[in-house]
Amino acid sequence: MTRVCVVGGGGYVGLGYAVALAELGHTVVGLDIDAARVDQLNQGDSPIFEAGLPEMLERNLASGRLRFTADYANAVPEAEIVFLCTGTPSLSDGEADLRQVRAAATSIGAHLASGRSTIIVNKSTMPVGAAELVAGIVAEHAPQGASYAVVSNPEFLREGRVLHDILHPDRVVLGGDDPRAVATVAALYEPLGAPILRTDHRSAELIKYAANAFLATKISFINDIARLCERLGADVTIVAGGIGADPRIGPRFLNAGIGFGGSCFPKDVGALTRMTEGAGLHPGLLRAVLEINRDAQRRFVTRADQLLGGLDGRIVALWGLAFKEGTDDLRESPSVAVAEMMQERGAQLRAHDPAALANAARRLPWVTLCDDLYETTRGADAVALCTPWPEYAAADLKRVAALMRGDLFLDGRNFLGPRPVEAAGLRYVGIGRGARPALDAGLASLVGG
Ligand SMILES: NC(=O)c1ccc[n+]([C@@H]2O[C@H](COP(=O)([O-])OP(=O)(O)OC[C@H]3O[C@@H](n4cnc5c(N)ncnc54)[C@H](O)[C@@H]3O)[C@@H](O)[C@H]2O)c1
């Protein structure tokens, strides 16, 4: 069993790894500069909403295999492997902000033990060249006699399924130029049974960005088709089903809606855009992906504004604030963008979310937050479903209709579909499900009309 230190061990990825590696029998120290979070974790209280996390955290703290600290000296010197899982948020121009990574690499280097060899695993999503950057910073601060190797190991987990995805990966990517270090990290993953792709640092780093950019592109592609469906009187859910049945395309990530968000897709597409520009190339596709995504949220708000005859003074019930179901994460959440745009137009917002209300109280203090879903709809002119939590599929829509003063139900995720909503007497408006207008002259001419 290996002695592991997880730097950034209080975050979504770092905490997931700290807990999961302890579950696999390793001795793990989760290290985080957020001392309050460290205290909370040592008491067995998870600061993050994730399925299975509280139980696995408690079990591994009790076993003695897992502890948390804010002190590098108390974690790095004894570790054989150090996972670097700090955040890499976006700068305003989209470039990855590597300040957390630089600070962590500096502290890791300064606390390596002399006469020992340590493997540093780059788990954070970092631009191509980051392995050299981390190795250089560590070299600058490491004491004499300490040796180390860097392995690039990008992460593909999904929030809401963090522990599941860590323990059941579909592939593991390891980039590096030190075969022994790569083999040692591979040995950690081998019990999980996933294929392990060994490659160079730069390919490993690019795989992560290319994967997220591809998934984001699928979402923006279907949202672009959804716009066309609205104009042409087609139904994007049927179009998506029809194209997704082709195994070369596949059905996933073809749900039209108010777009992608979260801490990864927007920032990673932004960072890849900057990398492409930095390489002297034109990031035409990536820019379009981001633009269509922003447009998806704007169009949703404009639609609400038009259908309500103006949002000023209207009461809107927002269902779902997290960027997706299963998480409490509000980072880059499309629901938050929608809330902000509606508020700017004078709407009064009442919001529900099964997991994100505590985060929302800090992020959206001007929104009335409701523990009870039905409370959002009392006297509301419209419901705007923004996050597809399963709870919303089970809502009593007749009760909702009775509580509202208006009848508009905007389904920003095509989650409920028109049937149950209309059966409750509400007016359903989804995404990309147009009424059938007459073809305008320009279009009619294309079919000889
Ligand atoms: N969240 C995801 O779904 C996901 C998925 C795949 C990859 N990633 C990548 O993993 C990385 C981490 O993402 P996250 O969502 O877990 O971020 P996060 O912000 O939740 O966690 C980062 C943690 O690092 C800590 N930290 C910051 N500076 C530190 C330092 N110098 N020393 C020790 N700790 C420090 C913070 O306090 C925080 O707890 C990012 O690069 C992200 O792109 C995230």
Side-chain angles (χ1 to χ4, degrees), residues 7-14 31-34 37 48 72 85-88 99-101 103-104 107 123-126 155-159 162 208 212 263-264 267-268 323 329 331:
V7 176
Y12 285 86
V13 172
L31 169 76
D32 205 287
I33 47 164
D34 185 335
R37 205 163 252 230
I48 286 171
Y72 275 83
C85 304
T86 53
T88 50
R99 278 177 295 183
Q100 292 183 31
V101 168
S107 305
K123 174 82 42 213
S124 300
T125 303
M126 299 186 227
E155 180 53 46
F156 304 100
L157 66 76
R158 297 160 293 176
E159 281 180 28
V162 163
K208 172 63 191 173
N212 274 357
S263 69
C264 290
K267 92 170 165 63
D268 292 349
F323 83 92
D329 198 345
R331 290 179 287 184

Side-chain angles (χ1 to χ4, degrees), residues 94-119:
E95 200 168 304
D97 179 350
L98 294 177
R99 278 177 295 183
Q100 292 183 31
V101 168
R102 285 202 181 89
T106 301
S107 305
I108 292 168
H111 289 88
L112 290 180
S114 283
R116 284 254 324 274
S117 182
T118 310
I119 298 170

Side-chain angles (χ1 to χ4, degrees), residues 395-411:
D396 177 348
L397 295 173
K398 290 219 165 78
R399 187 170 161 205
V400 168
L403 284 164
M404 289 173 68
R405 74 175 177 201
D407 67 351
L408 182 60
F409 192 102
L410 292 152
D411 187 350

Side-chain angles (χ1 to χ4, degrees), residues 15 35-47 53-62 66-69:
L15 179 54
R37 205 163 252 230
V38 164
D39 285 345
Q40 194 180 345
L41 283 162
N42 277 325
Q43 283 161 31
D45 181 8
S46 171
L53 189 53
E55 300 81 6
M56 212 183 273
L57 172 66
E58 206 169 308
R59 188 159 64 238
N60 286 286
L61 286 170
L66 176 64
R67 66 184 171 86
F68 293 88
T69 182

